[in-house]
Amino acid sequence: MVIEHSAANHTCLSDSRSNKIRTKSILFVTGCLFNESSGPYHTVQQTAKTLQKRGHQVTVVGTKGPSDKDLDRWVVEARAFQRYGPYSLHYTTGLSRWLKQEHCNWDLASMHGVWMHTNRVVADWCIRHDKPFMVTAHGNFNPTALRVSSWKKWLARMTFMRTLFEHVTCYHALTEVEYQTLRYFGIRQPICVIGNGIEFVKSEIIPEPLSLLPVWVRDRRICLYLGRLHPIKGVDRLLRAWSALRPSDEWLLVIAGSGESDYVSSLEQLLGSGKQNVLFVGFVTGDIKTAWLRAAEFCVLPSYSEAFPVSLLEGFAQSKGALITCACGLPEAVLANAAYEVDSSEEGLKEGLRLMLSLSPGELHKMGERAYVFARDRFNWESISTQLEQVYTWMIGDSNIPSCLRLD
């Protein structure tokens, strides 16, 4: 389906108005404000915090989780509304009422994700008040992701989400691969291509990593998977590839992440007699997550589909190279020799693991050094925030088209 851009006045700015960035009032829209295992949770939180530090007024809206005791983690103003019905839809009546009562006047809205009721509510507000809005895709248009509940997404696109699709000012692709995916889907609006940033934690502000981990793992060489435990992440085929290789007891595969209990149990049952070389540590955050990243010799990302591999960059920020599938959407890391890429299959992972396990600590260390430089140079928050500001300024009609925006 070809989705035509209705805000044509934003696509042909060619006058000499100043490109100077002025502070703006921005409404961020996301799903659950408490789902720390979700990649968008961290990227939305960090983007909002960084923009506020740069002088912008930022408000984040989303839905409630089991509790709202950690709402202050957002630092910026955050509003969580009661969710009803299916989790993924994020249907709420409270957001619409709040928008009517607050009489707010944001300059623009930034929506993170696609198939959510919260987005439709804010899109309606933007249309009524003649405000531009951006949609950050977060992998939602990847063919693999579209096949999940495909009929529901088709129905949403044809009904209650139709107005949103018709009025999006621009889309935000996190990678070049995602940009191509959006165009293939049929989107014709302008698309900016801007990655997510990554925080670089100073080593002196956290304890010695090994002191935070179980004593018995300290002499093992660790291959680390960090992320959600969900079928789209391909952890099942990683475990099968690992078991088929039968690595020596020198190596330990650490699975750090959480998911639905039935799925996690199915993953554990795949191991058979190989459990001594695999460790499930559950969801990790803060210093414990950093400790596992620093203890690892390399990271692995076996995904079927990735919007933007945040966990991969977290490893890069800790000077860890990675084994990734070609579905992870970051070929630039491969060109920088920061990661080794394999076919998105069990056989591909087996080949990749065989290579990575054969590398010496020194060779893996050099790969990690290249990974750090790659992440530092391409995904620092100052550069990314500047690009976002330029797009926001263009969206409200105050500047020419920025270089990161594609009209073709």
Side-chain angles (χ1 to χ4, degrees):
M1 181 183 76
V2 176
I3 304 169
E4 297 297 337
H5 180 40
S6 62
N9 59 305
H10 292 299
T11 67
C12 55
L13 294 172
S14 58
D15 58 32
S16 58
R17 280 177 288 186
S18 170
N19 286 320
K20 183 178 180 181
I21 302 298
R22 68 173 177 84
T23 59
K24 299 171 184 65
S25 179
I26 308 165
L27 177 63
F28 273 57
V29 190
T30 187
C32 180
L33 295 186
F34 308 93
N35 185 10
E36 287 192 65
S37 64
S38 163
Y41 170 93
H42 295 283
T43 57
V44 173
Q45 187 180 66
Q46 188 60 42
T47 305
K49 183 171 72 173
T50 303
L51 288 170
Q52 181 157 288
K53 283 183 178 179
R54 291 166 71 96
H56 304 284
Q57 179 184 337
V58 181
T59 303
V60 179
V61 295
T63 57
K64 291 185 176 182
S67 73
D68 57 0
K69 62 182 180 181
D70 297 323
L71 197 59
D72 57 348
R73 288 188 181 184
W74 280 89
V75 181
V76 302
E77 180 186 2
R79 300 277 181 162
F81 301 94
Q82 184 63 48
R83 183 182 64 246
Y84 302 96
Y87 178 87
S88 59
L89 184 60
H90 294 280
Y91 178 83
T92 176
T93 58
L95 176 57
S96 179
R97 291 197 301 267
W98 180 73
L99 287 171
K100 292 176 182 177
Q101 294 168 357
E102 289 297 304
H103 302 293
C104 296
N105 192 33
W106 295 284
D107 293 313
L108 60 106
S110 176
M111 302 173 187
H112 289 260
V114 178
W115 312 105
M116 298 185 294
H117 178 255
T118 48
N119 285 346
R120 168 58 197 271
V121 171
V122 173
D124 287 346
W125 181 90
C126 290
I127 294 166
R128 285 197 305 271
H129 294 84
D130 194 27
K131 301 295 182 180
F133 63 95
M134 170 194 288
V135 171
T136 303
H138 286 294
N140 280 269
F141 295 107
N142 183 287
T144 302
L146 286 171
R147 284 194 290 270
V148 178
S149 302
S150 59
W151 71 270
K152 294 180 182 178
K153 291 171 181 175
W154 178 87
L155 183 62
R157 196 171 72 198
M158 295 294 102
T159 56
F160 75 93
M161 295 293 286
R162 187 173 188 134
T163 302
L164 180 146
F165 281 121
E166 290 174 347
H167 290 83
V168 178
T169 307
C170 76
Y171 284 85
H172 174 194
L174 297 172
T175 64
E176 183 67 30
V177 172
E178 185 166 58
Y179 166 77
Q180 297 295 340
T181 300
L182 290 170
R183 289 296 186 224
Y184 179 78
F185 181 76
I187 287 170
R188 294 292 173 260
Q189 288 101 323
I191 302 173
C192 62
V193 184
I194 306 171
N196 280 324
I198 189 72
E199 287 189 285
F200 292 82
V201 181
K202 295 180 180 178
S203 59
E204 61 268 21
I205 69 173
I206 72 163
E208 169 62 32
L210 291 181
S211 68
L212 301 174
L213 304 181
V215 174
W216 66 273
V217 307
R218 296 180 187 178
D219 295 325
R220 308 286 291 274
R221 300 182 70 187
I222 293 172
C223 165
L224 176 67
Y225 168 79
L226 175 66
R228 286 188 302 148
L229 301 187
H230 184 280
I232 205 168
K233 294 295 186 177
V235 180
D236 55 334
R237 59 185 182 180
L238 169 63
L239 292 172
R240 285 192 292 268
W242 182 269
S243 297
L245 282 177
R246 297 183 180 276
S248 69
D249 290 344
E250 175 188 27
W251 282 98
L252 179 67
L253 172 62
V254 175
I255 307 294
S258 60
E260 293 186 5
S261 57
D262 289 347
Y263 181 67
V264 175
S265 296
S266 72
L267 292 177
E268 293 173 338
Q269 291 169 11
L270 287 174
L271 298 175
S273 61
K275 291 183 179 179
Q276 70 274 15
N277 287 331
V278 179
L279 176 65
F280 285 79
V281 297
F283 176 73
V284 295
T285 189
D287 289 352
I288 299 298
K289 179 169 74 172
T290 303
W292 280 116
L293 284 166
R294 292 190 176 174
E297 296 227 12
F298 69 94
C299 298
V300 59
L301 194 58
S303 304
Y304 288 93
S305 172
E306 283 287 338
F308 188 82
V310 175
S311 65
L312 183 64
L313 290 182
E314 289 177 324
F316 288 174
Q318 297 298 331
S319 300
K320 306 300 174 183
L323 169 65
I324 63 175
T325 67
C326 58
C328 291
L330 203 62
E332 302 94 328
V334 181
L335 292 174
N337 293 317
Y340 181 65
E341 184 181 83
V342 297
D343 183 58
S344 183
S345 66
E346 185 178 327
E347 283 302 312
L349 286 166
K350 192 187 302 183
E351 172 200 335
L353 285 170
R354 185 180 289 112
L355 171 70
M356 297 295 283
L357 297 179
S358 71
L359 297 178
S360 69
E363 290 171 318
L364 288 170
H365 179 73
K366 288 180 180 178
M367 188 180 193
E369 288 181 332
R370 294 191 294 268
Y372 178 87
V373 172
F374 171 75
R376 182 199 63 195
D377 292 348
R378 295 180 63 104
F379 299 101
N380 65 82
W381 276 112
E382 287 302 308
S383 172
I384 285 166
S385 296
T386 297
Q387 293 178 76
L388 285 172
E389 287 172 337
Q390 290 170 350
V391 175
Y392 294 158
T393 302
W394 166 82
M395 287 172 66
I396 63 176
D398 282 353
S399 78
N400 296 329
I401 299 170
S403 61
C404 61
L405 195 71
R406 314 274 185 87
L407 305 183
D408 56 333

